[in-house]
């Protein structure tokens, strides 16, 4: 399966890391969700070529990758904005004024919510992100900002713009795959020697 | 502003209530508990080490079973009993523990605190459970949105591997287990145990029909136990302090502490570790917890256990927070995530928002859920918009009836319950919304009706 | 393959709608209910595919032992002791009507322009269990309606009820996923990888198993309402598998060929070649179909009575050393009659064409033998199997080539050799495309015949006439019998 003709969407060291990571699971496709995250973090999207590559890499059909990818909302088939704001619209956040947060952000960014973005910023509403006791909240590139007020939300945008506030950009750091894996999931009988 | 510090500590953590014993949150206030060194200094892995040395796997399972610990993921199934469903330890097949960190029920953010503040407690719980059931690898599935939590947890796993707490032949005692973390990518349904397994295997998060149950056919077709993060975090305390100690907390049928999240219109929203059996009134009104409805407003309704548990009126405030008491009220403990709505809140809007959520999150396999969740959401949106019809409420209830108990998983039921409860306790508000709509359009619609009568 | 056949099936007594029945323990409840004549509507369940249990249409009510009381999906349920099932109780009917209502919420209800109307499971079930009027006033979901999935199949996403039969067909039967459900919830829709065309020789099956009009065959699109066609059970002739088929005909034209279940041969499936390559059967005189007996007359041809041609043919055969070659599309009955024709003729060599193996075999159905009845003809004593290389030089000989399909199985050298025959008699459905036949006797196509074929694994099957042959095209057997008569009693014929 490594003889794919498609160009790898990841740097060689990262591809090698995933190669080792595959061996942690009974089936290689188990790495698919995190692998697609990594591709997206490197390329800003997961396009057809990347899906093809990922399919070859884990030994399944591209159409299966396509089905998986579109099931989850966090993957993008189209290029995404550099800074992506997701405001929770679910019950706790709505009760605490999420609508006003969205209005403030629309005004601050000059964008209409849920209508894509301008390449630099995008603004959308999402379902519960799990910050209900600190509602309302927003997520920027994977970092949560909680207990928002409209003014606080505006200030966060300004701070990010001016580099006073950092949000994750690009891929995450990976530690090496541990050397002392038990790797006992294979079909060999266990505990017989013990 | 808050971002100046480590974002992990921006979490609005309320101090534990001093009136009772805590064992989940007792150490989360300590700075650096996510680091192995600090965690070790505060006792991490000591219970597991003692278990490895002194206890047989069957004794661990027996202790958890005797403790009466019930799952904290929503269904409240007895944890120890679930463990006994696994095949005997001499069964040569590999077997897995699937750890449900896909906390996604609206209103719920308790596992997130545990993972972020005390990941080694979770890992220790996983190790104890793995030892008890002879698990060969534990697979934690964490929701994709928890980027920071996944980073913290992965770092904890890496540190624990490096220190020999996870992996082959742990502490030279002949027991080995792997712990792997898989990050999801945004789908509520992956919190359902079989969908969680599908997602862990790298597939669409479609729940599998049951039976077979995971203990027979689970991850990669092998025997698997699925446990929630909070459930597993209970295990080290049970093993360290004993069954008798544990059973003194909570109630007979629902022992132990629970992490109760309080959100919405309360003075002190937060996640609190409280003994099961505490009344909703105390949880919402006590100064140590919710601190009452904020801004001195009156209470209109509360959701007792996450969005699917639906709405209860203030008259039910004295219900104790236990599995059975809430079931009696036609709702459930769920994730013990209380959402408070003050007198100004609109039940119609709140119901529509919850219906929208299930509409967004239905996996789309079963006809009733795929189509029904959308229908509920669209009817409710129309009522909220002021275009409701009197017959809509009966249609809603009939659609709910057709959605319940007839699908592969309970998402369909979970979508129906809040609508049913809203209509049971707050039907008047819906009628009013519809009447308002009819008054507005009455000129046009009225003539036909008038001539008919 | 199908369930239950291993060893002895233990039986148990279960109660269905108040009546006790002996049922196979562990058998599939839906299959059993069907076997005792209960109508259980279903969309996602197909006996040839893995069980998705997702449409939830096949609900019945369980009130006895085994599954939890209440409505259960019968496609997933196994028969256990003490089971008691109601298929037509209030609860069961309400549950099924509920599913129908949900499925129709977003269905376009474009039956008047839908190819599937009349044989649509959704339509049939709606009439059977649904409510007369819809209660929804919400706008319906809009999705692509005419999406081409390659050269054979068209997809209408609005009609699709997401039963995933087609997805599972490619996964379970072909072992190569080509379709998937994209997105989730009621936004989900069926798609290939980024919309690329479908591949392979088995695509047509997804049209058969599609319970609605979402997947339609381009070749059949808007050709006919199903109820205007007559259906004839027969057998496919494009390889030696012998897939069982149904031939759908309107106005004496084949409009569609569908697979027919045979547990040992093709189960529910057939290849696209067998399904779509029926143009030869529909060939009309103006398109080159040989529709009347013709005798070469100098440079031209003249129509003649069949008896005149048969007399001449008999004469030619007696004149020179004769080679009589029968098509491997011929039926067993024709093979025997053909052999009998030439049995008493000195120096005659009678055989059937036995071409070499093709490279067309696949894992599923298609075999490497292009002859539908090689096995049946091989069994006939006195009928030689003649490989193309064994034809030899035909100069100075009389050659009698007989039967539909012979021309397509003959290539290169064999054609040249046969074309050099002194007297070439062709009994075919069209002109052979080589040589200069002295006599042209029209032959029937397999779609116009009744007879037996034996497939590659030795199973004897009957082909049946789905089309009427042109008036002046005699039955092949009539030709052989007439010829046999004239060869056996030459004096009488001459007199």
């Amino acid at each position: 399966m490594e003889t794919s003709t498609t160009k790898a969407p990841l740097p060689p060291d990262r591809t090698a890391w995933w190669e080792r990571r595959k061996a942690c699971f009974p089936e290689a496709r188990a790495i698919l969700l995190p692998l697609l995250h990594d591709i997206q973090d490197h390329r800003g999207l997961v396009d057809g070529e990347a899906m093809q590559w990922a399919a070859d890499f884990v030994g399944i059909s591209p159409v299966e990758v396509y089905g998986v990818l579109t099931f989850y909302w966090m993957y993008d088939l189209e290029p995404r904005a550099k800074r992506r704001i997701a405001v929770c619209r679910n019950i706790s956040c709505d009760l605490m004024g999420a609508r006003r947060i969205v209005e403030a952000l629309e005004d601050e960014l000059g964008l209409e919510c849920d209508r894509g973005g301008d390449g630099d910023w995008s603004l959308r509403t999402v379902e519960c992100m799990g910050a209900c006791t600190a509602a309302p909240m927003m997520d920027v590139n994977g970092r949560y900002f909680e207990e928002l007020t409209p003014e606080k939300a505006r200030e966060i945008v300004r701070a990010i713009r001016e580099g006073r506030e950092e949000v994750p950009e690009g891929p995450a750091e990976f530690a090496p795959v541990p050397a002392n894996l038990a790797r006992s999931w294979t079909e060999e009988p266990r505990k017989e020697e013990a | 502003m808050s971002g100046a510090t480590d974002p992990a500590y921006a979490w609005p953590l309320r101090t534990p209530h001093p009136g009772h014993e805590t064992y989940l949150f007792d150490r989360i206030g300590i700075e650096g508990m996510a680091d192995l060194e600090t965690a070790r200094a505060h006792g991490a892995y000591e219970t597991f080490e003692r278990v490895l040395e002194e206890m047989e796997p069957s004794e661990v399972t027996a202790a958890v079973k005797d403790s009466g610990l019930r799952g904290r993921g929503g269904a409240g199934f007895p944890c120890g009993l679930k463990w006994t469903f696994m095949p005997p330890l001499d069964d040569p097949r590999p077997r897995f523990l699937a750890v449900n960190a896909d906390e996604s029920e609206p209103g719920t953010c308790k596992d997130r605190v545990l993972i972020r503040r005390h990941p080694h407690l979770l890992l220790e719980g996983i190790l104890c459970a793995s030892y008890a059931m002879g698990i060969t690898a534990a697979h934690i599935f964490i929701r994709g949105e928890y980027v920071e939590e996944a980073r913290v947890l992965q770092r904890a796993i890496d540190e624990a591997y490096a220190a020999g707490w996870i992996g082959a032949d742990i502490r030279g005692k002949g027991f080995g287990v792997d712990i792997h973390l898989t990050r999801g990518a945004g789908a509520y349904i992956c919190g359902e145990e079989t969908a969680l397994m599908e997602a862990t295997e790298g597939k669409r998060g479609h729940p599998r029909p049951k039976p077979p149950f995971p203990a027979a056919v689970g991850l990669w077709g092998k025997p698997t136990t699925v446990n929630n993060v909070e459930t597993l975090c209970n295990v080290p305390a049970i093993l360290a302090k004993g069954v008798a100690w544990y059973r003194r907390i909570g109630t007979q049928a629902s022992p132990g502490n629970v992490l109760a999240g309080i959100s919405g219109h309360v003075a002190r929203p937060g996640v609190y570790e409280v003994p099961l059996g505490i009344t909703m009134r105390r949880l919402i009104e006590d100064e140590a917890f919710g601190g009452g409805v904020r801004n001195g407003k009156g209470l209109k309704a509360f959701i007792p256990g996450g969005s699917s548990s639906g709405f209860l009126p203030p008259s039910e405030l004295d219900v104790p927070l236990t599995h059975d008491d809430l079931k009696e009220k036609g709702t459930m403990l769920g994730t013990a995530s209380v959402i408070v709505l003050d007198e100004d809140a609109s039940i119609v809007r709140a119901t529509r928002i919850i219906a929208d959520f299930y509409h967004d999150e239905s996996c789309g396999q079963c006809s009733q859920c795929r189509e029904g969740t959308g229908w509920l959401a669209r009817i409710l949106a129309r009522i909220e918009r002021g275009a409701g019809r009197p017959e809509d409420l009966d249609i809603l209830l009939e659609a709910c009836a057709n959605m319940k108990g007839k699908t592969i998983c309970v998402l369909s039921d979970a979508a129906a319950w809040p609508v049913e409860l809203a209509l049971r306790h707050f039907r008047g508000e819906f009628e009013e919304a519809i009447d308002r709509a009819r008054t507005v359009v009455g000129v046009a619609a009225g003539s036909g009706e008038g001539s008919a009568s | 393959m199908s369930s239950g056949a291993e060893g002895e099936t233990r039986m148990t007594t279960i109660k269905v709608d108040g009546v006790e029945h002996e049922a196979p323990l562990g058998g599939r409840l839906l299959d059993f209910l069907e076997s005792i004549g209960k109508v259980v509507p279903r969309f996602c369940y197909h006996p040839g595919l893995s069980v998705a249990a997702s449409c939830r249409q096949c609900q019945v009510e369980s009130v006895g032992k085994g599954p939890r009381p209440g409505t259960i999906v019968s496609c997933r349920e196994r028969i256990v002791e003490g089971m008691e099932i109601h298929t037509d109780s209030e609860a069961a009917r309400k549950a099924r009507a509920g599913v129908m209502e949900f499925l129709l919420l977003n269905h376009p209800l474009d039956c008047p322009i839908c190819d599937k109307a009349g044989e649509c499971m959704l339509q049939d079930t709606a009439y059977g269990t649904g409510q007369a009027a819809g209660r929804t006033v919400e706008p319906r979901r809009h999705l692509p309606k005419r999406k081409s999935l390659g050269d054979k199949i068209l997809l209408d996403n609005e009609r699709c009820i997401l039963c995933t039969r087609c997805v599972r067909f490619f996964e379970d039967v072909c072992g190569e996923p080509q379709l998937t459900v994209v997105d989730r919830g009621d936004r989900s829709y069926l798609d290939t990888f980024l919309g690329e065309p479908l591949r392979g020789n088995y695509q047509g099956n997804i049209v058969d198993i599609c319970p609605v009009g979402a997947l339609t065959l381009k070749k059949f699109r808007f050709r006919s309402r199903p109820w205007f066609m007559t259906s004839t059970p027969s057998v496919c002739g494009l390889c030696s598998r012998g897939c069982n088929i149904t031939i759908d005909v309107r106005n004496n034209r084949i409009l569609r060929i569908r697979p027919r279940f045979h547990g040992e041969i093709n189960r529910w499936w057939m290849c696209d070649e067998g399904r779509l390559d029926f143009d030869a059967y529909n060939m009309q005189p103006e398109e080159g179909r040989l529709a009347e007996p013709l005798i070469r007359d100098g440079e031209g041809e003249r129509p003649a009575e069949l008896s005149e041609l048969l007399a001449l043919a008999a004469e030619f055969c007696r004149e020179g050393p004769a080679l009589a070659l029968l098509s491997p599309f011929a039926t067993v009955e024709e093979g025997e009659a053909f052999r009998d024709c030439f049995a008493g003729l000195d120096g005659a060599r009678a055989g059937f064409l036995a071409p070499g193996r093709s490279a067309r075999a696949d894992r599923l159905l298609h075999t490497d033998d292009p002859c539908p009845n090689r096995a049946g003809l091989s069994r006939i004593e006195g009928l030689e199997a003649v490989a193309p290389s064994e034809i030899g030089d035909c100069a100075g000989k009389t050659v009698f080539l007989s039967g539909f399909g012979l021309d397509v199985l003959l290539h290169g050298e064999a054609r040249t050799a046969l074309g050099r025959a002194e007297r070439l008699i062709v009994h075919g459905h069209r002109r052979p495309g080589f040589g200069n036949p002295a006599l042209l006797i029209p032959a029937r196509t397999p779609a116009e015949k009744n007879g037996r074929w034996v497939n590659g694994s030795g199973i004897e099957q009957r082909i049946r006439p789905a089309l009427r042959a042109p008036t002046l095209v005699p039955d092949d057997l009539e030709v052989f019998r007439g010829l046999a008569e004239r060869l056996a009693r030459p004096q009488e014929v001459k007199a």
Side-chain angles (χ1 to χ4, degrees), chain A residues 37 72 89 94 127-128 146 182-183, chain B residues 112 143 178 184 203-204 263 349 360:
Chain A
H37 275 306
Y72 302 95
R89 60 164 175 258
D94 184 77
E127 296 297 355
C128 181
E146 299 166 327
R183 231 192 273 268
Chain B
R112 181 176 166 221
R143 66 178 299 184
D178 285 319
K203 299 173 183 164
R204 290 169 65 86
S263 63
R349 180 179 173 84
D360 272 355

PDB file of all heavy atoms in Angstrom, chain A residues 37 72 89 94 127-128 146 182-183, chain B residues 112 143 178 184 203-204 263 349 360:
ATOM      1  N   HIS A  37      -6.954  14.807  10.593  1.00  0.00           N
ATOM      2  CA  HIS A  37      -6.691  16.058  11.328  1.00  0.00           C
ATOM      3  C   HIS A  37      -5.306  16.587  10.976  1.00  0.00           C
ATOM      4  O   HIS A  37      -5.114  17.775  10.720  1.00  0.00           O
ATOM      5  CB  HIS A  37      -6.725  15.805  12.840  1.00  0.00           C
ATOM      6  CG  HIS A  37      -8.092  15.863  13.447  1.00  0.00           C
ATOM      7  ND1 HIS A  37      -8.936  16.934  13.292  1.00  0.00           N
ATOM      8  CD2 HIS A  37      -8.758  14.994  14.242  1.00  0.00           C
ATOM      9  CE1 HIS A  37     -10.065  16.713  13.956  1.00  0.00           C
ATOM     10  NE2 HIS A  37      -9.988  15.539  14.531  1.00  0.00           N
ATOM     11  N   TYR A  72     -18.041  13.885   9.849  1.00  0.00           N
ATOM     12  CA  TYR A  72     -17.599  14.717  10.963  1.00  0.00           C
ATOM     13  C   TYR A  72     -17.485  16.167  10.513  1.00  0.00           C
ATOM     14  O   TYR A  72     -16.996  16.436   9.418  1.00  0.00           O
ATOM     15  CB  TYR A  72     -16.252  14.208  11.480  1.00  0.00           C
ATOM     16  CG  TYR A  72     -16.313  12.758  11.920  1.00  0.00           C
ATOM     17  CD1 TYR A  72     -15.950  11.724  11.068  1.00  0.00           C
ATOM     18  CD2 TYR A  72     -16.782  12.421  13.191  1.00  0.00           C
ATOM     19  CE1 TYR A  72     -16.032  10.399  11.462  1.00  0.00           C
ATOM     20  CE2 TYR A  72     -16.864  11.100  13.598  1.00  0.00           C
ATOM     21  CZ  TYR A  72     -16.487  10.085  12.733  1.00  0.00           C
ATOM     22  OH  TYR A  72     -16.579   8.776  13.121  1.00  0.00           O
ATOM     23  N   ARG A  89     -23.989  27.442  19.770  1.00  0.00           N
ATOM     24  CA  ARG A  89     -25.353  27.962  19.718  1.00  0.00           C
ATOM     25  C   ARG A  89     -26.289  27.101  20.552  1.00  0.00           C
ATOM     26  O   ARG A  89     -27.498  27.271  20.514  1.00  0.00           O
ATOM     27  CB  ARG A  89     -25.849  27.985  18.274  1.00  0.00           C
ATOM     28  CG  ARG A  89     -25.878  26.611  17.596  1.00  0.00           C
ATOM     29  CD  ARG A  89     -26.724  26.620  16.344  1.00  0.00           C
ATOM     30  NE  ARG A  89     -26.641  25.333  15.665  1.00  0.00           N
ATOM     31  CZ  ARG A  89     -25.901  25.096  14.586  1.00  0.00           C
ATOM     32  NH1 ARG A  89     -25.159  26.057  14.071  1.00  0.00           N
ATOM     33  NH2 ARG A  89     -25.885  23.907  14.023  1.00  0.00           N
ATOM     34  N   ASP A  94     -26.906  29.571  24.503  1.00  0.00           N
ATOM     35  CA  ASP A  94     -27.995  30.416  24.021  1.00  0.00           C
ATOM     36  C   ASP A  94     -28.646  31.152  25.185  1.00  0.00           C
ATOM     37  O   ASP A  94     -28.937  32.345  25.092  1.00  0.00           O
ATOM     38  CB  ASP A  94     -29.032  29.569  23.282  1.00  0.00           C
ATOM     39  CG  ASP A  94     -30.133  30.432  22.691  1.00  0.00           C
ATOM     40  OD1 ASP A  94     -29.878  31.066  21.643  1.00  0.00           O
ATOM     41  OD2 ASP A  94     -31.227  30.503  23.291  1.00  0.00           O
ATOM     42  N   GLU A 127     -22.706  23.258  17.353  1.00  0.00           N
ATOM     43  CA  GLU A 127     -23.408  22.655  18.478  1.00  0.00           C
ATOM     44  C   GLU A 127     -22.476  22.595  19.683  1.00  0.00           C
ATOM     45  O   GLU A 127     -21.298  22.927  19.592  1.00  0.00           O
ATOM     46  CB  GLU A 127     -23.905  21.256  18.082  1.00  0.00           C
ATOM     47  CG  GLU A 127     -24.947  21.251  16.966  1.00  0.00           C
ATOM     48  CD  GLU A 127     -26.242  21.972  17.341  1.00  0.00           C
ATOM     49  OE1 GLU A 127     -26.385  22.410  18.505  1.00  0.00           O
ATOM     50  OE2 GLU A 127     -27.122  22.104  16.468  1.00  0.00           O
ATOM     51  N   CYS A 128     -23.015  22.111  20.795  1.00  0.00           N
ATOM     52  CA  CYS A 128     -22.332  22.133  22.096  1.00  0.00           C
ATOM     53  C   CYS A 128     -20.866  21.704  22.009  1.00  0.00           C
ATOM     54  O   CYS A 128     -20.540  20.661  21.463  1.00  0.00           O
ATOM     55  CB  CYS A 128     -23.068  21.215  23.061  1.00  0.00           C
ATOM     56  SG  CYS A 128     -22.332  21.178  24.705  1.00  0.00           S
ATOM     57  N   GLU A 146     -13.978  31.410  26.976  1.00  0.00           N
ATOM     58  CA  GLU A 146     -15.210  31.138  27.706  1.00  0.00           C
ATOM     59  C   GLU A 146     -15.680  32.345  28.510  1.00  0.00           C
ATOM     60  O   GLU A 146     -14.974  33.343  28.612  1.00  0.00           O
ATOM     61  CB  GLU A 146     -14.970  29.939  28.630  1.00  0.00           C
ATOM     62  CG  GLU A 146     -14.595  28.692  27.835  1.00  0.00           C
ATOM     63  CD  GLU A 146     -14.020  27.576  28.681  1.00  0.00           C
ATOM     64  OE1 GLU A 146     -13.341  27.864  29.682  1.00  0.00           O
ATOM     65  OE2 GLU A 146     -14.260  26.411  28.338  1.00  0.00           O
ATOM     66  N   ALA A 182       2.927  -2.646  24.821  1.00  0.00           N
ATOM     67  CA  ALA A 182       2.613  -4.033  25.189  1.00  0.00           C
ATOM     68  C   ALA A 182       2.256  -4.807  23.935  1.00  0.00           C
ATOM     69  O   ALA A 182       2.584  -5.971  23.788  1.00  0.00           O
ATOM     70  CB  ALA A 182       1.464  -4.059  26.183  1.00  0.00           C
ATOM     71  N   ARG A 183       1.547  -4.108  23.022  1.00  0.00           N
ATOM     72  CA  ARG A 183       1.194  -4.665  21.706  1.00  0.00           C
ATOM     73  C   ARG A 183       0.646  -6.082  21.811  1.00  0.00           C
ATOM     74  O   ARG A 183       1.042  -6.985  21.092  1.00  0.00           O
ATOM     75  CB  ARG A 183       2.434  -4.694  20.821  1.00  0.00           C
ATOM     76  CG  ARG A 183       2.178  -4.049  19.470  1.00  0.00           C
ATOM     77  CD  ARG A 183       3.309  -4.359  18.532  1.00  0.00           C
ATOM     78  NE  ARG A 183       4.391  -3.416  18.643  1.00  0.00           N
ATOM     79  CZ  ARG A 183       4.501  -2.324  17.904  1.00  0.00           C
ATOM     80  NH1 ARG A 183       3.593  -2.028  17.032  1.00  0.00           N
ATOM     81  NH2 ARG A 183       5.512  -1.517  18.048  1.00  0.00           N
TER      82      ARG A 183
ATOM     83  N   ARG B 112     -14.233  16.773  30.854  1.00  0.00           N
ATOM     84  CA  ARG B 112     -13.236  17.717  30.370  1.00  0.00           C
ATOM     85  C   ARG B 112     -12.387  18.234  31.524  1.00  0.00           C
ATOM     86  O   ARG B 112     -11.162  18.369  31.399  1.00  0.00           O
ATOM     87  CB  ARG B 112     -13.984  18.882  29.703  1.00  0.00           C
ATOM     88  CG  ARG B 112     -13.084  19.913  29.133  1.00  0.00           C
ATOM     89  CD  ARG B 112     -13.884  20.977  28.397  1.00  0.00           C
ATOM     90  NE  ARG B 112     -13.029  22.111  28.142  1.00  0.00           N
ATOM     91  CZ  ARG B 112     -13.407  23.363  28.258  1.00  0.00           C
ATOM     92  NH1 ARG B 112     -14.657  23.643  28.589  1.00  0.00           N
ATOM     93  NH2 ARG B 112     -12.565  24.339  28.029  1.00  0.00           N
ATOM     94  N   ARG B 143     -13.549  13.584  22.119  1.00  0.00           N
ATOM     95  CA  ARG B 143     -14.221  14.361  21.076  1.00  0.00           C
ATOM     96  C   ARG B 143     -13.238  15.320  20.412  1.00  0.00           C
ATOM     97  O   ARG B 143     -12.335  15.876  21.069  1.00  0.00           O
ATOM     98  CB  ARG B 143     -15.438  15.093  21.623  1.00  0.00           C
ATOM     99  CG  ARG B 143     -15.135  16.173  22.634  1.00  0.00           C
ATOM    100  CD  ARG B 143     -16.393  16.887  23.083  1.00  0.00           C
ATOM    101  NE  ARG B 143     -17.074  17.535  21.970  1.00  0.00           N
ATOM    102  CZ  ARG B 143     -18.153  18.299  22.083  1.00  0.00           C
ATOM    103  NH1 ARG B 143     -18.682  18.511  23.278  1.00  0.00           N
ATOM    104  NH2 ARG B 143     -18.715  18.856  21.041  1.00  0.00           N
ATOM    105  N   ASP B 178      -1.664  -1.457  26.764  1.00  0.00           N
ATOM    106  CA  ASP B 178      -1.417  -0.221  26.036  1.00  0.00           C
ATOM    107  C   ASP B 178      -2.593   0.723  26.224  1.00  0.00           C
ATOM    108  O   ASP B 178      -3.734   0.280  26.381  1.00  0.00           O
ATOM    109  CB  ASP B 178      -1.253  -0.504  24.537  1.00  0.00           C
ATOM    110  CG  ASP B 178       0.101  -1.120  24.222  1.00  0.00           C
ATOM    111  OD1 ASP B 178       1.092  -0.665  24.823  1.00  0.00           O
ATOM    112  OD2 ASP B 178       0.154  -2.048  23.411  1.00  0.00           O
ATOM    113  N   GLY B 184     -11.528  12.383  17.967  1.00  0.00           N
ATOM    114  CA  GLY B 184     -12.635  12.413  17.018  1.00  0.00           C
ATOM    115  C   GLY B 184     -12.616  13.682  16.199  1.00  0.00           C
ATOM    116  O   GLY B 184     -11.641  14.438  16.219  1.00  0.00           O
ATOM    117  N   LYS B 203     -14.135   4.759  11.292  1.00  0.00           N
ATOM    118  CA  LYS B 203     -15.292   4.704  10.396  1.00  0.00           C
ATOM    119  C   LYS B 203     -16.272   5.837  10.695  1.00  0.00           C
ATOM    120  O   LYS B 203     -16.072   6.609  11.623  1.00  0.00           O
ATOM    121  CB  LYS B 203     -16.005   3.355  10.568  1.00  0.00           C
ATOM    122  CG  LYS B 203     -15.107   2.189  10.232  1.00  0.00           C
ATOM    123  CD  LYS B 203     -15.764   0.874  10.567  1.00  0.00           C
ATOM    124  CE  LYS B 203     -14.782  -0.272  10.277  1.00  0.00           C
ATOM    125  NZ  LYS B 203     -15.198  -1.516  10.926  1.00  0.00           N
ATOM    126  N   ARG B 204     -17.328   5.891   9.896  1.00  0.00           N
ATOM    127  CA  ARG B 204     -18.430   6.784  10.213  1.00  0.00           C
ATOM    128  C   ARG B 204     -19.023   6.352  11.549  1.00  0.00           C
ATOM    129  O   ARG B 204     -19.131   5.168  11.811  1.00  0.00           O
ATOM    130  CB  ARG B 204     -19.517   6.712   9.128  1.00  0.00           C
ATOM    131  CG  ARG B 204     -19.122   7.324   7.801  1.00  0.00           C
ATOM    132  CD  ARG B 204     -20.125   6.980   6.715  1.00  0.00           C
ATOM    133  NE  ARG B 204     -21.446   7.544   6.939  1.00  0.00           N
ATOM    134  CZ  ARG B 204     -21.833   8.751   6.572  1.00  0.00           C
ATOM    135  NH1 ARG B 204     -20.995   9.521   5.922  1.00  0.00           N
ATOM    136  NH2 ARG B 204     -23.042   9.197   6.838  1.00  0.00           N
ATOM    137  N   SER B 263     -25.356  24.859  34.586  1.00  0.00           N
ATOM    138  CA  SER B 263     -25.166  25.936  33.616  1.00  0.00           C
ATOM    139  C   SER B 263     -26.484  26.644  33.377  1.00  0.00           C
ATOM    140  O   SER B 263     -27.519  26.250  33.907  1.00  0.00           O
ATOM    141  CB  SER B 263     -24.607  25.367  32.310  1.00  0.00           C
ATOM    142  OG  SER B 263     -25.523  24.461  31.730  1.00  0.00           O
ATOM    143  N   ARG B 349     -38.354  28.301  22.437  1.00  0.00           N
ATOM    144  CA  ARG B 349     -37.035  28.478  21.831  1.00  0.00           C
ATOM    145  C   ARG B 349     -36.046  27.414  22.324  1.00  0.00           C
ATOM    146  O   ARG B 349     -35.324  26.811  21.532  1.00  0.00           O
ATOM    147  CB  ARG B 349     -36.496  29.878  22.150  1.00  0.00           C
ATOM    148  CG  ARG B 349     -35.127  30.117  21.556  1.00  0.00           C
ATOM    149  CD  ARG B 349     -34.591  31.504  21.854  1.00  0.00           C
ATOM    150  NE  ARG B 349     -33.213  31.616  21.407  1.00  0.00           N
ATOM    151  CZ  ARG B 349     -32.862  31.906  20.168  1.00  0.00           C
ATOM    152  NH1 ARG B 349     -33.773  32.149  19.258  1.00  0.00           N
ATOM    153  NH2 ARG B 349     -31.579  31.969  19.818  1.00  0.00           N
ATOM    154  N   ASP B 360     -29.143  18.045  13.895  1.00  0.00           N
ATOM    155  CA  ASP B 360     -27.778  18.157  13.383  1.00  0.00           C
ATOM    156  C   ASP B 360     -26.980  16.886  13.625  1.00  0.00           C
ATOM    157  O   ASP B 360     -26.090  16.555  12.850  1.00  0.00           O
ATOM    158  CB  ASP B 360     -27.048  19.310  14.085  1.00  0.00           C
ATOM    159  CG  ASP B 360     -27.268  20.620  13.381  1.00  0.00           C
ATOM    160  OD1 ASP B 360     -27.902  20.605  12.310  1.00  0.00           O
ATOM    161  OD2 ASP B 360     -26.811  21.658  13.900  1.00  0.00           O
TER     162      ASP B 360
END
